[in-house]
Amino acid sequence: MRFRDLKKQSNKNNQINKKEQTVIPAYYIYRIKALIVDLFMIYMPIMYIMTYFVLDGKEALQESSIAPLVATTLYGLIYAAFLSHSGQTPGKKAYDIKVVDSKTLENIGFFRSLSRFFAFLFTITTLFGLFLPLLRKDNRLLHDVLLSTTIVEIPNLEK
């Protein structure tokens, strides 16, 4: 048998095994820890730059109504860029979890990632949205259900 034929057969077997593979959702506590890491690694530097380089200091930030909105939007754009590129933010990478499409298990695009971020902002304002993973077997939050995404452990997927 030719090498080319063996390689094609191997690729077909890998695709079948990947589809048959069961996906274990990420633990809720890892998601919370990843969010905290992301806030300290991405959002806090944005707020620091906004406060001390763009504005005149803490008092100017407290008086401004637009600065937190700009900082949150910038954080959302960076967050969406990370998710669309690799499916992971620095916090998710630290805990070996990844955001994927719930049906195809592929990375999601930039605009879907950005929509997921703004849906997350809505989710954290509602108590139901935060406690939804405790009621579901797949541990999906409200924004994951709305945008058909899920967060899974990486060892269960081929990197």
Side-chain angles (χ1 to χ4, degrees):
M1 189 174 249
R2 296 176 65 187
F3 177 73
R4 188 177 312 155
D5 296 332
L6 287 173
K7 190 171 181 179
K8 284 182 185 178
Q9 185 178 4
S10 175
N11 286 340
K12 286 180 184 178
N13 290 338
N14 285 341
Q15 290 174 354
I16 291 170
N17 289 338
K18 190 173 181 181
K19 288 179 183 178
E20 291 175 356
Q21 192 174 20
T22 59
V23 176
I24 298 174
Y27 290 114
Y28 191 54
I29 192 72
Y30 290 164
R31 295 177 69 162
I32 293 170
K33 289 178 180 180
L35 174 66
I36 292 169
V37 169
D38 288 338
L39 289 176
F40 278 101
M41 289 186 73
I42 301 171
Y43 189 66
M44 293 303 289
I46 292 171
M47 286 300 289
Y48 183 82
I49 291 168
M50 182 73 66
T51 303
Y52 295 107
F53 293 112
V54 176
L55 301 174
D56 290 330
K58 180 179 79 168
E59 291 80 20
L61 178 69
Q62 290 174 344
E63 293 173 4
S64 175
S65 61
I66 194 86
L69 177 66
V70 170
T72 303
T73 304
L74 186 58
Y75 172 68
L77 291 170
I78 294 170
Y79 181 86
F82 273 119
L83 286 187
S84 64
H85 180 263
S86 65
Q88 294 179 301
T89 59
K92 288 176 179 44
K93 190 172 188 101
Y95 290 98
D96 290 328
I97 57 178
K98 183 177 183 178
V99 178
V100 293
D101 183 86
S102 61
K103 294 176 186 163
T104 64
L105 301 179
E106 298 292 327
N107 287 346
I108 58 176
F110 179 78
F111 291 108
R112 191 166 171 196
S113 300
L114 192 61
S115 300
R116 186 179 181 276
F117 174 75
F118 288 113
F120 169 73
L121 293 179
F122 172 74
T123 299
I124 62 172
T125 61
T126 63
L127 288 178
F128 175 74
L130 286 178
F131 293 115
L132 188 63
L134 302 175
L135 304 174
R136 296 179 57 95
K137 290 181 183 178
D138 58 0
N139 291 340
R140 291 169 65 194
L141 285 165
L142 182 61
H143 60 279
D144 290 325
V145 173
L146 292 175
L147 291 164
S148 182
T149 59
T150 189
I151 299 183
V152 296
E153 294 180 11
I154 288 188
N156 295 318
L157 297 175
E158 293 181 17
K159 291 183 181 180

